Amino acid sequence: MLNSLTTHWAALPDIVRSTTISTLWILAVTIALIICVALTTLWERKVIGWMQLRRGPNRVAIFGLIPGLGQPFADVVKLITKEVIIPAKANKFLFALAPCITLVTAFVAWSVMPLSPDLTIANVNAGLLFLLALTSAGVYGVILAGWASNSKYAFLGAMRSAAQIVAYEIAMGFALVGVLMAAGSLNLGDIVRHQQGGLFTWNWTWLFPLFVVYFISGVAETNRAPFDVAEGESEIVAGFHVEYSGMAFALFFLAEYANMLLISFLTAVFFLGGWLSPFEGWPVLGATILAAPSFGWLALKGFVFLFLFLWFRATFPRYRYDQIMRLGWKVLIPITIVWIFVEGVLSWAHVGPWHT
């Protein structure tokens, strides 16, 4: 039977086989991402609990094993069974469309992520531009959610969030211009390969200010603490999604955590060598698995940045809105512009990794 299946598979046109393989990888990555989001919510509550000398979730277990592990799945069941209430005077079509836009942009961006040397779902030469376009489109979901709800609180939260996303999107864009100048390519896989050579050939060494700006901007763009003024409970109840309930709210929740994972992995790809090993080129470890590039290294780097998202929430108080906007427009954007100029001078003087 196996030989028969192999024969039939080989007889299929190339376009059918490639489409089937891509579809299977899309399903695998999507399912893995949803499970990672569920486990990240548990991890966040556990980490914050440990930092506050609490246990965190410790009741719901799966098959009686590991108390607390079943909490994310219990939350999913709760959200699925809750009623989705649409305000009477809301624009029902846009109200339903908004969370879909936010979720789709968060998930589709993973299609150009170089997960390993041999695995990228869509190896797009203009992958960097594709990412910038998708992350910029995500703001439309936020604006539509606030406007379509026909609520002043939701609309005020949407305007706050949209202005914040736009401000920090500019800083992120300028930081990626520096990465483009260093790598000379818009292909994310080529950006990773350009950093080959070991820990100190990664982009974080020459582009350290842009590295810091990019990650801070990523935290702000995902509306995470301490930049979560869109959810100022004492002022605007809960921000742009205050009128959402049940699975409609869950889609926003899913998109937020998917964007956290995306920013964590992209930071590793752009500045920390992606799937490259930090032990590459070491005489002792050169022939071992520790020096080999793999998805494991990318996952480990992404894990570290994701932990920083959780750590920030447990540590820093929420900024005032004027402080957030001042940081974006008057601090981060000027830093990126100055460093791009410095990088241009270094490139002209043939100093740096872009001429090795």
Side-chain angles (χ1 to χ4, degrees), residues 174-340:
F174 279 137
L176 294 182
V177 169
V179 174
L180 172 60
M181 292 172 63
S185 175
L186 291 168
N187 185 290
L188 270 63
D190 291 343
I191 291 173
V192 173
R193 293 183 188 92
H194 182 268
Q195 301 175 65
Q196 288 178 335
L199 180 63
F200 295 103
T201 63
W202 295 347
N203 283 338
W204 73 271
T205 52
W206 291 91
L207 307 179
F208 186 77
L210 302 184
F211 166 47
V212 174
V213 167
Y214 182 83
F215 187 65
I216 293 175
S217 300
V219 176
E221 192 177 349
T222 53
N223 283 319
R224 294 286 300 181
F227 302 101
D228 56 340
V229 292
E231 302 177 13
E233 296 91 346
S234 61
E235 309 149 34
I236 53 175
V237 188
F240 59 89
H241 52 60
V242 65
E243 300 291 348
Y244 284 85
S245 61
M247 278 307 297
F249 170 76
L251 293 182
F252 281 117
F253 199 67
L254 184 60
E256 177 181 324
Y257 281 82
N259 277 320
M260 287 168 53
L261 287 162
L262 179 66
I263 294 296
S264 300
F265 275 68
L266 287 179
T267 306
V269 166
F270 291 136
F271 298 98
L272 291 182
W275 30 257
L276 295 174
S277 167
F279 304 114
E280 181 183 0
W282 285 34
V284 178
L285 302 173
T288 66
I289 193 173
L290 291 176
S294 69
F295 171 74
W297 289 114
L298 177 61
L300 179 61
K301 296 166 188 176
F303 177 89
V304 171
F305 287 116
L306 187 59
F307 175 75
L308 292 180
F309 273 92
L310 313 184
W311 192 359
F312 292 163
R313 181 175 180 182
T315 304
F316 297 115
R318 181 181 291 146
Y319 284 137
R320 293 197 317 265
Y321 189 68
D322 62 299
Q323 293 174 325
I324 290 177
M325 299 307 288
R326 183 170 64 246
L327 176 66
W329 287 103
K330 294 186 176 181
V331 179
L332 299 186
I333 291 177
I335 287 175
T336 57
I337 293 173
V338 168
W339 201 256
I340 287 173

Side-chain angles (χ1 to χ4, degrees), residues 14-91:
D14 290 340
I15 188 171
V16 174
R17 284 186 293 174
S18 61
T19 302
T20 303
I21 293 172
S22 297
T23 303
L24 291 175
W25 274 117
I26 289 170
L27 289 174
V29 171
T30 302
I31 293 170
L33 192 56
I34 292 173
I35 294 174
C36 285
V37 166
L39 295 178
T40 300
T41 62
L42 174 63
W43 184 28
E44 178 177 33
R45 295 168 69 179
K46 280 290 190 182
V47 167
I48 294 176
W50 293 333
M51 290 183 176
Q52 297 172 349
L53 301 181
R54 298 185 288 107
R55 287 181 179 271
N58 62 350
R59 288 292 183 270
V60 184
I62 297 179
F63 303 118
L65 303 174
I66 312 180
L69 185 61
Q71 186 63 52
F73 306 99
D75 291 338
V76 169
V77 174
K78 177 190 71 174
L79 289 169
I80 289 175
T81 55
K82 287 187 71 174
E83 181 182 3
V84 177
I85 300 173
I86 301 178
K89 295 186 178 181
N91 185 313

Side-chain angles (χ1 to χ4, degrees), residues 137-154:
V139 71
Y140 290 105
V142 172
I143 295 174
L144 287 177
W147 184 83
S149 298
N150 193 35
S151 165
K152 291 182 174 63
Y153 290 116

Side-chain angles (χ1 to χ4, degrees), residues 111-193:
S111 62
V112 295
M113 177 75 70
L115 298 175
S116 74
D118 305 315
L119 177 57
T120 304
I121 294 176
N123 191 19
V124 181
N125 286 330
L128 192 58
L129 289 179
F130 181 75
L131 279 175
L132 288 173
L134 279 176
T135 52
S136 299
V139 71
Y140 290 105
V142 172
I143 295 174
L144 287 177
W147 184 83
S149 298
N150 193 35
S151 165
K152 291 182 174 63
Y153 290 116
F155 187 65
L156 179 58
M159 291 299 98
R160 279 186 175 189
S161 184
Q164 176 179 321
I165 289 173
V166 169
Y168 286 87
E169 186 72 31
I170 294 173
M172 290 182 74
F174 279 137
L176 294 182
V177 169
V179 174
L180 172 60
M181 292 172 63
S185 175
L186 291 168
N187 185 290
L188 270 63
D190 291 343
I191 291 173
V192 173
R193 293 183 188 92

